[in-house]
Amino acid sequence: MAQPMTDDPASAGAAEAAGTATAPGPAIAHAPVPSRQRMRDGTELLLRTWLPDPGRFAEPLGSVLLVHGLAEHAGRYQHVADLLCGSGLRVRAFDLRGHGASGGARMVADHPDIYLEDLAEIYDAALHGWNELPILLGHSMGGLIAARFATARVRPVRALVLSSPALALRLAQPVLALHRVLLTLAPRLRVPNPIDARHLSHDPAVVAAYRADPLVQTTITASVLESFIRGMAQAQADAARLEAPMLMLVGGADRVVDPAGSRSFFDNAPADLRDEVWYPHGYHEIFNEAQPLRGEVFAALSDWLQRHLQPSATARPPPA
């Protein structure tokens, strides 16, 4: 089992600086502890771990594994970690391979399930240290990874929270045709990332900070897009296999991913496990939306977590 590695102060410091610059909200209430974890193929990923105030919580009420979206990094989620820690949860997030301050070729997926496999290794190390089932929280691409992880039953999870998950994309036929050519001839070729920062949030400060963030990637490869295409189809097919309570937080005006994918996934998930809050005017990064919407999203998340923070299930060993 991979274990946390010694910090890399230079890369971790850069990541934290970028995260502080991009995350909206109040000053940092809970400082992250950076570390690194080596994957089975030797790639080192940057981790951040936040702990709740021991003065308020003698023991954490649970644990969260947070998975960020395409091209960004986990340092942008300080304000989300603050909210979770304020609810008594400890939080671990990591920069996906090829993203942020983690290792790996920039924006390259060696095979479609590589991000799923990395999450399994992060999960195993967390389970070993914390001995409890974690809540998975994923945004956008991270939401797709988290949804796949839960519905494929890679490991058992306590709950699933999806923020604007990438469960469908609007891809024109010319784009798909080019993708197929690149996937065959140059799957690792980096081409411009089509995400328009103006469509992330109604808050101009968030847009400006995203554009200025040195750790945000500006390219994508056919190998990464293929992980989306295959993963979305499989997640939709497996929605009925969900075994844990799920909250979906969806921006109805999302132009980065197609929110219809969230609707379809939700409709096919078990009715007794699913909750959804739909924000008709919300853009893609609903955790970073302009006020008052951001506060409404955080309140919905906090309320749902409080209702589900019963004593967690005893951790079961992961399958061999």
Side-chain angles (χ1 to χ4, degrees):
M1 180 183 298
Q3 296 296 325
M5 304 293 290
T6 303
D7 305 11
D8 180 343
S11 59
E16 293 310 322
T20 301
T22 56
I28 293 175
H30 305 85
V33 177
S35 60
R36 298 186 79 85
Q37 184 172 325
R38 189 187 300 274
M39 301 293 100
R40 290 188 180 91
D41 68 353
T43 301
E44 287 191 2
L45 306 186
L46 177 72
L47 279 63
R48 298 170 182 79
T49 302
W50 293 265
L51 298 175
D53 182 355
R56 292 184 58 201
F57 303 97
E59 293 291 337
L61 301 180
S63 305
V64 176
L65 295 181
L66 189 156
V67 191
H68 70 75
L70 177 73
E72 56 162 354
H73 58 92
R76 299 184 73 236
Y77 289 79
Q78 174 66 53
H79 58 312
V80 179
D82 282 340
L83 177 139
L84 297 171
C85 288
S87 295
L89 297 163
R90 59 187 151 202
V91 183
R92 177 162 295 166
F94 62 101
D95 289 0
L96 297 170
R97 66 170 57 226
H99 290 67
S102 283
R106 298 296 90 181
M107 303 303 290
V108 169
D110 291 331
H111 61 84
D113 284 338
I114 188 66
Y115 301 114
L116 210 62
E117 293 177 1
D118 285 347
L119 178 55
E121 292 194 50
I122 297 292
Y123 173 107
D124 289 345
L127 189 73
H128 178 77
W130 297 338
N131 195 36
E132 65 178 2
L133 299 184
I135 298 167
L136 276 189
L137 188 159
H139 169 72
S140 191
M141 176 185 177
L144 170 61
I145 295 167
R148 282 278 291 116
F149 192 91
T151 57
R153 301 176 183 173
V154 177
R155 303 285 191 274
V157 299
R158 181 178 176 183
L160 179 66
V161 178
L162 304 178
S163 158
S164 302
L167 294 168
L169 298 176
R170 299 183 182 95
L171 297 174
Q173 284 305 315
V175 173
L176 287 172
L178 176 61
H179 166 68
R180 287 190 287 268
V181 171
L182 290 176
L183 189 64
T184 301
L185 300 179
R188 298 166 67 94
L189 177 66
R190 297 170 65 185
V191 298
N193 187 336
I195 293 177
D196 187 337
R198 294 174 299 175
H199 298 154
L200 295 178
S201 170
H202 287 91
D203 186 339
V206 169
V207 174
Y210 180 90
R211 286 172 168 165
D213 191 331
L215 293 184
V216 167
Q217 304 298 308
T218 58
T219 60
I220 191 173
T221 65
S223 64
V224 170
L225 181 55
E226 184 67 8
S227 75
F228 272 80
I229 293 171
R230 294 194 186 191
M232 291 184 301
Q234 193 61 55
Q236 296 289 359
D238 289 345
R241 303 184 73 234
L242 182 69
E243 294 183 307
M246 175 185 70
L247 171 65
M248 299 186 76
L249 301 166
V250 182
D254 196 333
R255 301 184 193 179
V256 177
V257 305
D258 187 348
S262 293
R263 187 74 81 190
S264 176
F265 185 85
F266 179 83
D267 289 345
N268 290 310
D272 60 328
L273 294 177
R274 67 191 189 195
D275 287 295
E276 180 183 54
V277 186
W278 193 274
Y279 301 93
H281 303 295
Y283 275 2
H284 184 60
E285 291 194 349
I286 53 176
F287 289 143
N288 290 337
E289 260 292 14
Q291 295 289 16
L293 181 55
R294 185 192 312 156
E296 295 170 9
V297 173
F298 273 31
L301 173 59
S302 180
D303 178 69
W304 189 87
L305 287 171
Q306 291 298 331
R307 288 187 283 110
H308 288 80
L309 286 181
Q310 303 301 321
S312 61
T314 301
R316 291 176 279 166

